Amino acid sequence: MTQDNLVVCTKCGVVNRLPLGRNRADAKCGKCGALLFSGLPQDIDAANFDRQIGRGSLPVLVDVWAPWCGPCKMMAPAYEAAAKALEPHIRLVKLNSDKEQAIAARLGIRGIPTMILFHHRHEIARISGAMSTGQIVNWVRNHVPAGS
């Protein structure tokens, strides 16, 4: 039996079931109609964060940032470019540590920017500091288990 991918909409938080053979580039949320993969990492709130990590079947890369953080601002274009390179096989999202302080504390964030890679509800890798697009893409590909 083939298992479908479960993809959480970054706009409304609904879990969408995508057949493995389906072209994901044009996949839309069944509830709100938003593209599931836009090539742009979306800022998510605490509830959507928990759904992305807990309900989705794709690896999720979370960029924990803050609007006042210079290195975060410098890395933002590289993170966006990494989303274009890694989607639809990896979900990239952003978490504003100022707005979502409880999640940042739960994650043990000590400095930003920090990127955390999750898969099957578990943290599998973490790195702090600004990175280039190539560094982000290579770091993710080196940490995602084969066949994910």
Side-chain angles (χ1 to χ4, degrees):
M1 179 175 151
T2 306
Q3 191 166 343
D4 295 339
N5 278 312
L6 300 177
V7 180
V8 180
C9 178
T10 57
K11 301 289 187 194
C12 71
V14 164
V15 179
N16 292 268
R17 186 174 306 273
L18 293 180
L20 286 177
R22 177 169 180 199
N23 179 3
R24 299 181 201 172
D26 62 349
K28 293 184 179 180
C29 176
K31 180 178 180 186
C32 72
L35 283 174
L36 292 176
F37 300 102
S38 66
L40 292 173
Q42 300 296 312
D43 263 309
I44 57 173
D45 62 15
N48 200 307
F49 171 83
D50 286 334
R51 291 182 72 80
Q52 292 290 337
I53 303 310
R55 300 287 309 278
S57 60
L58 298 176
V60 178
L61 180 61
V62 180
D63 172 24
V64 183
W65 71 286
W68 50 264
C69 168
C72 299
K73 290 179 186 178
M74 286 181 7
M75 190 177 85
Y79 194 71
E80 286 182 14
K84 288 176 178 47
L86 294 168
E87 283 189 352
H89 303 290
I90 311 288
R91 162 69 79 206
L92 280 79
V93 295
K94 297 175 70 70
L95 184 77
N96 182 330
S97 61
D98 283 354
K99 288 184 180 178
E100 302 300 339
Q101 292 180 12
I103 297 290
R106 188 173 89 197
L107 293 172
I109 300 300
R110 303 240 188 281
I112 53 175
T114 293
M115 289 184 294
I116 306 173
L117 185 60
F118 293 90
H119 195 195
H120 298 301
R121 299 181 177 91
H122 300 287
E123 179 179 327
I124 59 173
R126 173 186 296 232
I127 193 165
S128 294
M131 297 171 73
S132 69
T133 301
Q135 290 171 320
I136 296 168
V137 170
N138 289 333
W139 181 80
V140 169
R141 289 184 176 155
N142 286 333
H143 287 90
V144 172
S148 296

